[in-house]
Amino acid sequence: MTLSELMTISLRRCGLTASSSTFTNNAYKYIDIVSAMLMGESPNWYFRRKKGTITTAATDQDYDLASDFEAPILAKNYTNNSKVNFRPLDWLEDTDPDYSETGTVTDLIISGMSTSTGAVTVLAYPVPDSVQTVNYWYNQAFPEMSSSYDSTDLQKYCPRWFQNCLLFGLSSMFYSEKGDLDGAGTEFELMQRNLRIGYGIQAQINGDSVSKIGSKGYLNQSAVNQFVFDVREGSLT
């Protein structure tokens, strides 16, 4: 289903027409609102997963992530066949305040956004001492809708059930705008019904995944520090 088809059906369900630029312009904004709400329903929707690559250069610590990056999942240093952790910024300050360590990249720290490209930026740690390939998996951001997407098949960005959620969520917004709360409630329930389909598919795809105590991670780093020991200098002997 293209974006134009989705908006046409959604507006028609509310007794409105896509030939009105007022309605279509509002529809783009409403879809952005609804998509943000739906993306927030799960921290790791399977269809958002993408892979990016960082190719390091010696002594260069700052790198841009993919332009559609929204949240990290995991990373690996393919040059050295080792895991790379996403770490919070305060971890770096505690570990190496002067950023003087060099060597094989073992950690990535999200440092902000590039003022020139708008991309999310990371610090590679330790500072790379050679060319290394770091692959990372991440959740992509849902694109901001506009007329340039009208002919785009939304299957590129989300599965059919999610497109249905966008459709019913959009019509619910328009019903609410018109003051028809019953109509808005009906469309919202249809959106929730399709969302439940998505949860079921998500559970099947995730399979028997189990969180392990002590696993390093970006989101729960502070919770597992008591189980994780990193020797940066010297030895334990």
Side-chain angles (χ1 to χ4, degrees):
M1 179 162 41
T2 66
L3 176 61
S4 179
E5 290 171 336
L6 184 149
M7 292 196 305
T8 298
I9 296 170
S10 184
L11 287 168
R12 191 169 63 234
R13 290 181 64 84
C14 305
L16 304 175
T17 174
S19 62
S20 168
S21 60
T22 299
F23 295 145
T24 55
N25 288 338
N26 285 349
Y28 295 130
K29 300 304 180 185
Y30 278 150
I31 290 176
D32 290 340
I33 293 171
V34 173
S35 65
M37 292 168 55
L38 293 170
M39 288 298 188
E41 288 289 328
S42 172
N44 193 22
W45 284 122
Y46 63 92
F47 58 89
R48 300 181 64 193
R49 300 169 189 170
K50 289 186 69 177
K51 185 167 72 172
T53 301
I54 295 172
T55 302
T56 69
T59 73
D60 189 358
Q61 189 175 31
D62 299 286
Y63 300 92
D64 285 0
L65 298 181
S67 59
D68 60 351
F69 177 94
E70 185 163 270
I73 300 176
L74 56 87
K76 179 178 181 179
N77 189 322
Y78 268 72
T79 300
N80 294 278
N81 193 31
S82 56
K83 181 181 178 182
V84 174
N85 302 291
F86 280 96
R87 303 279 196 174
L89 189 58
D90 58 353
W91 174 89
L92 178 59
E93 292 296 323
D94 292 339
T95 303
D96 185 16
D98 61 0
Y99 305 172
S100 61
E101 288 289 322
T102 62
T104 298
V105 175
T106 58
D107 303 279
L108 295 174
I109 298 92
I110 293 179
S111 55
M113 296 182 70
S114 169
T115 56
S116 58
T117 66
V120 174
T121 58
V122 292
L123 298 174
Y125 183 82
V127 178
D129 60 0
S130 61
V131 175
Q132 300 169 39
T133 299
V134 176
N135 281 3
Y136 61 95
W137 284 258
Y138 66 97
N139 287 332
Q140 64 172 324
F142 198 79
E144 186 175 334
M145 294 292 102
S146 66
S147 59
S148 61
Y149 288 91
D150 282 352
S151 300
T152 301
D153 187 347
L154 294 177
Q155 192 70 28
K156 289 178 56 177
Y157 302 106
C158 57
R160 181 68 65 190
W161 64 264
F162 194 89
Q163 295 172 45
N164 292 345
C165 287
L166 292 175
L167 190 154
F168 294 122
L170 176 58
S171 54
S172 178
M173 287 287 190
F174 274 111
Y175 267 122
S176 179
E177 182 181 282
K178 293 167 61 177
D180 186 345
L181 299 185
D182 289 336
T186 298
E187 299 301 294
F188 184 81
E189 174 53 35
L190 289 170
M191 182 186 76
Q192 291 291 319
R193 189 177 301 175
N194 280 273
L195 191 59
R196 288 192 290 272
I197 293 173
Y199 286 139
I201 296 173
Q202 180 85 16
Q204 288 180 301
I205 289 175
N206 286 345
D208 298 325
S209 59
V210 177
S211 298
K212 298 178 181 179
I213 294 178
S215 295
K216 297 180 182 180
Y218 178 74
L219 297 179
N220 66 343
Q221 182 62 39
S222 61
V224 300
N225 274 342
Q226 57 184 316
F227 303 107
V228 177
F229 301 93
D230 289 323
V231 179
R232 290 293 170 181
E233 296 182 2
S235 68
L236 293 177
T237 57

